[in-house]
Amino acid sequence: MKTIGLIGGMSWESTAEYYRLLNEFTRDRLGGLHSARCVLYSVDFAEIEQLQVQGRWAEAGGVLADAARSLEAAGADMVLICTNTMHKVADTVAAAVSVPLLHLADATAAAVRASGLRRVGLLGTAFTMEQDFYRGRLEAAGLHVTVPDAEGRALVHQVIYDELCRGIIREESRSAYRKVIQDLVSAGAEGIILGCTEIELLAGPEDSPVPLFPTARLHAEAAVTAALSDAWNAPDAPDARVGPSAPSVRPA
Protein backbone atom coordinates (compact mmCIF):
# COMPACT_ATOMS: atom_id res chain seq x y z
CA MET A 1 0.00 0.00 0.00
CA LYS A 2 1.26 3.47 -0.86
CA THR A 3 1.55 6.13 1.82
CA ILE A 4 -1.23 8.73 1.99
CA GLY A 5 -0.19 12.23 3.05
CA LEU A 6 -2.82 14.30 4.85
CA ILE A 7 -2.83 18.07 5.30
CA GLY A 8 -5.25 18.31 8.21
CA GLY A 9 -6.28 20.37 11.18
CA MET A 10 -8.88 22.42 9.25
CA SER A 11 -10.54 21.51 11.53
CA TRP A 12 -9.06 18.64 13.50
CA GLU A 13 -12.63 17.44 14.14
CA SER A 14 -13.00 16.32 10.52
CA THR A 15 -9.33 15.30 10.20
CA ALA A 16 -9.97 12.73 12.93
CA GLU A 17 -12.78 11.39 10.75
CA TYR A 18 -10.40 11.14 7.81
CA TYR A 19 -8.03 9.00 9.87
CA ARG A 20 -10.85 6.71 10.99
CA LEU A 21 -12.25 6.37 7.47
CA LEU A 22 -8.87 5.66 5.88
CA ASN A 23 -8.26 2.84 8.31
CA GLU A 24 -11.78 1.42 8.01
CA PHE A 25 -11.64 1.39 4.21
CA THR A 26 -8.20 -0.24 4.30
CA ARG A 27 -9.37 -2.89 6.74
CA ASP A 28 -12.44 -3.57 4.61
CA ARG A 29 -10.34 -3.94 1.45
CA LEU A 30 -7.45 -5.98 2.89
CA GLY A 31 -9.02 -7.68 5.91
CA GLY A 32 -7.38 -8.86 9.09
CA LEU A 33 -5.35 -6.33 11.05
CA HIS A 34 -4.52 -4.14 8.07
CA SER A 35 -4.57 -0.37 8.51
CA ALA A 36 -3.71 2.58 6.30
CA ARG A 37 -0.18 3.77 5.64
CA CYS A 38 -0.47 7.51 6.19
CA VAL A 39 1.32 10.57 7.49
CA LEU A 40 -0.41 13.66 8.85
CA TYR A 41 0.64 17.30 8.94
CA SER A 42 -1.89 19.12 11.13
CA VAL A 43 -1.87 22.92 10.90
CA ASP A 44 -3.19 25.41 13.45
CA PHE A 45 -6.65 26.22 12.11
CA ALA A 46 -6.85 29.51 14.04
CA GLU A 47 -4.01 30.85 11.89
CA ILE A 48 -5.56 29.57 8.66
CA GLU A 49 -8.99 30.95 9.53
CA GLN A 50 -7.53 34.42 10.05
CA LEU A 51 -5.84 34.28 6.64
CA GLN A 52 -9.19 33.24 5.12
CA VAL A 53 -11.09 36.11 6.71
CA GLN A 54 -8.44 38.62 5.67
CA GLY A 55 -8.33 37.31 2.11
CA ARG A 56 -4.65 36.40 2.40
CA TRP A 57 -5.01 33.27 0.33
CA ALA A 58 -1.49 33.36 -1.10
CA GLU A 59 -0.07 33.18 2.42
CA ALA A 60 -2.46 30.38 3.34
CA GLY A 61 -1.39 28.56 0.20
CA GLY A 62 2.22 28.92 1.28
CA VAL A 63 1.47 27.34 4.65
CA LEU A 64 -0.21 24.36 3.00
CA ALA A 65 2.52 24.07 0.37
CA ASP A 66 5.11 23.83 3.16
CA ALA A 67 2.98 21.13 4.78
CA ALA A 68 2.82 19.21 1.49
CA ARG A 69 6.60 19.36 1.11
CA SER A 70 6.98 18.00 4.63
CA LEU A 71 4.62 15.13 3.81
CA GLU A 72 6.56 14.26 0.67
CA ALA A 73 9.81 14.34 2.65
CA ALA A 74 8.19 11.98 5.16
CA GLY A 75 7.48 9.47 2.39
CA ALA A 76 3.97 10.35 1.21
CA ASP A 77 3.15 9.01 -2.26
CA MET A 78 0.16 11.35 -2.63
CA VAL A 79 -1.26 14.39 -0.87
CA LEU A 80 -4.80 15.13 0.32
CA ILE A 81 -6.02 18.51 1.57
CA CYS A 82 -8.54 17.46 4.23
CA THR A 83 -10.90 20.39 3.74
CA ASN A 84 -13.01 21.63 0.85
CA THR A 85 -12.44 25.35 1.40
CA MET A 86 -8.66 25.20 1.20
CA HIS A 87 -8.86 23.64 -2.25
CA LYS A 88 -8.92 27.29 -3.28
CA VAL A 89 -5.12 26.95 -3.06
CA ALA A 90 -4.94 23.41 -4.45
CA ASP A 91 -2.86 24.47 -7.46
CA THR A 92 -0.26 26.05 -5.18
CA VAL A 93 -0.07 22.89 -3.08
CA ALA A 94 0.14 20.61 -6.12
CA ALA A 95 2.96 22.69 -7.60
CA ALA A 96 5.00 22.38 -4.39
CA VAL A 97 5.48 18.60 -4.60
CA SER A 98 6.34 15.96 -7.17
CA VAL A 99 3.75 13.47 -5.90
CA PRO A 100 0.09 13.76 -7.04
CA LEU A 101 -2.59 15.75 -5.26
CA LEU A 102 -5.90 13.91 -5.01
CA HIS A 103 -8.42 16.73 -5.47
CA LEU A 104 -11.49 16.48 -3.26
CA ALA A 105 -13.86 18.01 -5.81
CA ASP A 106 -12.78 15.47 -8.44
CA ALA A 107 -13.47 12.54 -6.12
CA THR A 108 -16.87 14.06 -5.32
CA ALA A 109 -17.79 14.75 -8.95
CA ALA A 110 -16.86 11.19 -9.89
CA ALA A 111 -19.20 9.84 -7.20
CA VAL A 112 -22.08 12.05 -8.34
CA ARG A 113 -21.61 11.04 -11.97
CA ALA A 114 -21.43 7.36 -11.00
CA SER A 115 -24.81 7.71 -9.28
CA GLY A 116 -26.37 8.93 -12.52
CA LEU A 117 -27.28 12.33 -11.07
CA ARG A 118 -26.35 15.70 -12.53
CA ARG A 119 -28.29 18.36 -10.57
CA VAL A 120 -26.90 18.79 -7.06
CA GLY A 121 -27.17 21.20 -4.18
CA LEU A 122 -23.94 22.32 -2.51
CA LEU A 123 -23.50 23.04 1.20
CA GLY A 124 -20.21 24.36 2.55
CA THR A 125 -18.48 27.45 3.84
CA ALA A 126 -19.38 30.75 2.23
CA PHE A 127 -16.06 30.58 0.35
CA THR A 128 -16.95 27.18 -1.12
CA MET A 129 -20.55 28.03 -1.95
CA GLU A 130 -19.97 31.50 -3.37
CA GLN A 131 -16.60 31.34 -5.13
CA ASP A 132 -15.76 29.54 -8.35
CA PHE A 133 -12.74 27.45 -7.32
CA TYR A 134 -14.96 24.57 -6.16
CA ARG A 135 -18.31 25.08 -7.90
CA GLY A 136 -16.54 25.71 -11.18
CA ARG A 137 -14.62 22.45 -10.92
CA LEU A 138 -17.83 20.53 -10.27
CA GLU A 139 -19.55 22.25 -13.19
CA ALA A 140 -16.58 21.51 -15.46
CA ALA A 141 -17.20 17.85 -14.62
CA GLY A 142 -20.72 18.14 -16.06
CA LEU A 143 -22.72 18.89 -12.91
CA HIS A 144 -25.39 21.56 -12.44
CA VAL A 145 -24.75 23.09 -9.01
CA THR A 146 -27.24 25.04 -6.88
CA VAL A 147 -26.44 26.74 -3.58
CA PRO A 148 -28.77 28.02 -0.83
CA ASP A 149 -30.07 31.59 -0.85
CA ALA A 150 -28.15 34.29 1.04
CA GLU A 151 -29.86 33.52 4.35
CA GLY A 152 -29.25 29.81 3.96
CA ARG A 153 -25.60 30.32 3.02
CA ALA A 154 -25.03 32.50 6.08
CA LEU A 155 -26.62 29.92 8.35
CA VAL A 156 -24.65 27.00 6.94
CA HIS A 157 -21.37 28.96 7.20
CA GLN A 158 -22.05 30.12 10.77
CA VAL A 159 -22.82 26.61 12.01
CA ILE A 160 -19.61 25.27 10.47
CA TYR A 161 -17.27 27.78 12.10
CA ASP A 162 -19.07 28.49 15.39
CA GLU A 163 -20.20 24.94 16.14
CA LEU A 164 -18.94 22.03 14.06
CA CYS A 165 -15.28 23.11 13.95
CA ARG A 166 -15.48 23.39 17.74
CA GLY A 167 -17.01 19.94 18.20
CA ILE A 168 -20.47 21.33 19.02
CA ILE A 169 -23.43 19.38 17.64
CA ARG A 170 -26.85 20.98 18.17
CA GLU A 171 -30.22 19.52 17.25
CA GLU A 172 -31.45 23.02 16.39
CA SER A 173 -28.73 23.29 13.78
CA ARG A 174 -29.54 19.86 12.41
CA SER A 175 -33.15 20.97 11.95
CA ALA A 176 -32.00 24.19 10.27
CA TYR A 177 -29.79 22.22 7.88
CA ARG A 178 -32.71 19.96 7.05
CA LYS A 179 -34.72 22.99 5.97
CA VAL A 180 -31.86 24.28 3.81
CA ILE A 181 -31.56 20.85 2.20
CA GLN A 182 -35.30 20.71 1.56
CA ASP A 183 -35.19 24.15 -0.06
CA LEU A 184 -32.44 22.95 -2.41
CA VAL A 185 -34.47 19.85 -3.28
CA SER A 186 -37.50 22.04 -3.97
CA ALA A 187 -35.29 24.07 -6.32
CA GLY A 188 -34.50 20.93 -8.30
CA ALA A 189 -31.51 19.33 -6.59
CA GLU A 190 -31.42 15.56 -7.10
CA GLY A 191 -28.63 15.10 -4.56
CA ILE A 192 -26.78 17.16 -1.95
CA ILE A 193 -23.02 17.55 -1.72
CA LEU A 194 -21.87 18.02 1.87
CA GLY A 195 -19.10 20.29 0.65
CA CYS A 196 -17.52 20.91 4.04
CA THR A 197 -15.90 17.96 5.77
CA GLU A 198 -17.38 18.98 9.14
CA ILE A 199 -20.99 18.83 7.91
CA GLU A 200 -20.82 15.03 8.01
CA LEU A 201 -20.60 15.35 11.81
CA LEU A 202 -24.08 16.90 11.80
CA ALA A 203 -26.10 15.68 8.80
CA GLY A 204 -26.65 12.14 7.60
CA PRO A 205 -28.90 10.22 5.18
CA GLU A 206 -31.85 10.52 7.55
CA ASP A 207 -31.72 14.30 7.16
CA SER A 208 -32.28 14.39 3.41
CA PRO A 209 -34.99 13.16 1.03
CA VAL A 210 -32.36 12.78 -1.73
CA PRO A 211 -28.90 11.13 -1.81
CA LEU A 212 -26.12 12.83 0.12
CA PHE A 213 -22.51 12.96 -1.06
CA PRO A 214 -20.29 13.23 2.04
CA THR A 215 -17.03 14.63 0.73
CA ALA A 216 -14.66 13.51 3.50
CA ARG A 217 -15.85 9.93 3.14
CA LEU A 218 -15.62 10.03 -0.65
CA HIS A 219 -12.17 11.60 -0.51
CA ALA A 220 -10.90 9.00 1.96
CA GLU A 221 -12.30 6.14 -0.10
CA ALA A 222 -10.72 7.54 -3.26
CA ALA A 223 -7.38 7.81 -1.43
CA VAL A 224 -7.45 4.18 -0.31
CA THR A 225 -8.36 3.06 -3.83
CA ALA A 226 -5.45 5.08 -5.21
CA ALA A 227 -3.07 3.81 -2.54
CA LEU A 228 -3.87 0.22 -3.49
CA SER A 229 -3.60 0.87 -7.23
CA ASP A 230 -0.41 0.30 -9.22
CA ALA A 231 -1.59 2.96 -11.68
CA TRP A 232 -0.99 5.65 -9.03
CA ASN A 233 2.75 5.26 -9.65
CA ALA A 234 2.34 7.44 -12.75
CA PRO A 235 1.61 11.05 -11.63
CA ASP A 236 1.02 12.14 -15.23
CA ALA A 237 -1.55 9.45 -15.98
CA PRO A 238 -4.91 10.88 -17.17
CA ASP A 239 -6.75 10.00 -13.96
CA ALA A 240 -3.88 10.63 -11.53
CA ARG A 241 -5.59 13.60 -9.88
CA VAL A 242 -9.15 12.35 -10.11
CA GLY A 243 -10.86 10.18 -7.54
CA PRO A 244 -12.49 6.90 -8.56
CA SER A 245 -16.22 6.48 -8.87
CA ALA A 246 -17.71 5.85 -5.47
CA PRO A 247 -21.29 5.24 -4.38
CA SER A 248 -23.33 8.07 -2.97
CA VAL A 249 -24.94 7.73 0.44
CA ARG A 250 -28.66 7.31 -0.03
CA PRO A 251 -31.38 7.86 2.53
CA ALA A 252 -32.08 4.88 4.76
Side-chain angles (χ1 to χ4, degrees), residues 67-170:
R69 282 188 283 265
S70 294
L71 291 173
E72 183 174 19
D77 297 300
M78 68 189 72
V79 171
L80 278 66
I81 304 172
C82 300
T83 161
N84 287 272
T85 297
M86 292 310 295
H87 277 73
K88 182 176 176 68
V89 298
D91 289 346
T92 299
V93 176
V97 292
S98 61
V99 297
L101 170 75
L102 180 61
H103 199 291
L104 199 159
D106 293 343
T108 300
V112 175
R113 292 197 310 268
S115 75
L117 304 182
R118 290 295 182 270
R119 299 179 64 88
V120 291
L122 173 63
L123 303 182
T125 67
F127 309 109
T128 299
M129 291 186 289
E130 295 174 0
Q131 298 182 22
D132 189 58
F133 69 91
Y134 194 87
R135 289 177 59 183
R137 196 161 181 120
L138 295 174
E139 289 167 349
L143 305 183
H144 181 279
V145 182
T146 302
V147 298
D149 60 19
E151 181 179 354
R153 295 196 303 273
L155 173 104
V156 170
H157 181 91
Q158 178 267 321
V159 169
I160 290 169
Y161 279 90
D162 293 350
E163 299 175 21
L164 302 182
C165 287
R166 303 168 189 263
I168 300 169
I169 307 296
R170 300 174 64 243

Side-chain angles (χ1 to χ4, degrees), residues 2-251:
K2 298 169 186 66
T3 301
I4 302 167
L6 306 169
I7 304 177
M10 301 169 284
S11 69
W12 71 261
E13 298 283 347
S14 63
T15 301
E17 284 296 293
Y18 263 88
Y19 184 70
R20 178 181 66 81
L21 290 165
L22 288 172
N23 284 293
E24 288 182 353
F25 286 133
T26 301
R27 178 197 61 200
D28 293 345
R29 301 281 182 90
L30 301 180
L33 296 175
H34 286 288
S35 54
R37 293 183 183 275
C38 59
V39 289
L40 168 65
Y41 189 112
S42 189
V43 303
D44 182 354
F45 188 37
E47 297 175 0
I48 298 296
E49 189 268 344
Q50 282 301 301
L51 295 175
Q52 291 176 344
V53 170
Q54 295 166 12
R56 295 158 61 189
W57 293 100
E59 292 178 55
V63 173
L64 268 59
D66 286 343
R69 282 188 283 265
S70 294
L71 291 173
E72 183 174 19
D77 297 300
M78 68 189 72
V79 171
L80 278 66
I81 304 172
C82 300
T83 161
N84 287 272
T85 297
M86 292 310 295
H87 277 73
K88 182 176 176 68
V89 298
D91 289 346
T92 299
V93 176
V97 292
S98 61
V99 297
L101 170 75
L102 180 61
H103 199 291
L104 199 159
D106 293 343
T108 300
V112 175
R113 292 197 310 268
S115 75
L117 304 182
R118 290 295 182 270
R119 299 179 64 88
V120 291
L122 173 63
L123 303 182
T125 67
F127 309 109
T128 299
M129 291 186 289
E130 295 174 0
Q131 298 182 22
D132 189 58
F133 69 91
Y134 194 87
R135 289 177 59 183
R137 196 161 181 120
L138 295 174
E139 289 167 349
L143 305 183
H144 181 279
V145 182
T146 302
V147 298
D149 60 19
E151 181 179 354
R153 295 196 303 273
L155 173 104
V156 170
H157 181 91
Q158 178 267 321
V159 169
I160 290 169
Y161 279 90
D162 293 350
E163 299 175 21
L164 302 182
C165 287
R166 303 168 189 263
I168 300 169
I169 307 296
R170 300 174 64 243
E171 286 303 316
E172 295 89 343
S173 296
R174 193 191 315 275
S175 296
Y177 266 50
R178 286 175 176 167
K179 182 181 184 305
V180 174
I181 289 171
Q182 184 57 62
D183 288 345
L184 288 170
V185 173
S186 297
E190 303 166 324
I192 303 294
I193 293 175
L194 303 184
C196 172
T197 52
E198 280 79 24
I199 294 178
E200 293 162 54
L201 305 174
L202 178 68
E206 67 279 4
D207 299 306
S208 174
V210 297
L212 295 180
F213 295 90
T215 54
R217 172 173 289 273
L218 295 171
H219 204 198
E221 187 169 14
V224 170
T225 297
L228 294 173
S229 170
D230 290 338
W232 194 258
N233 286 325
D236 295 325
D239 295 329
R241 296 178 187 272
V242 180
S245 297
S248 61
V249 177
R250 295 186 176 274

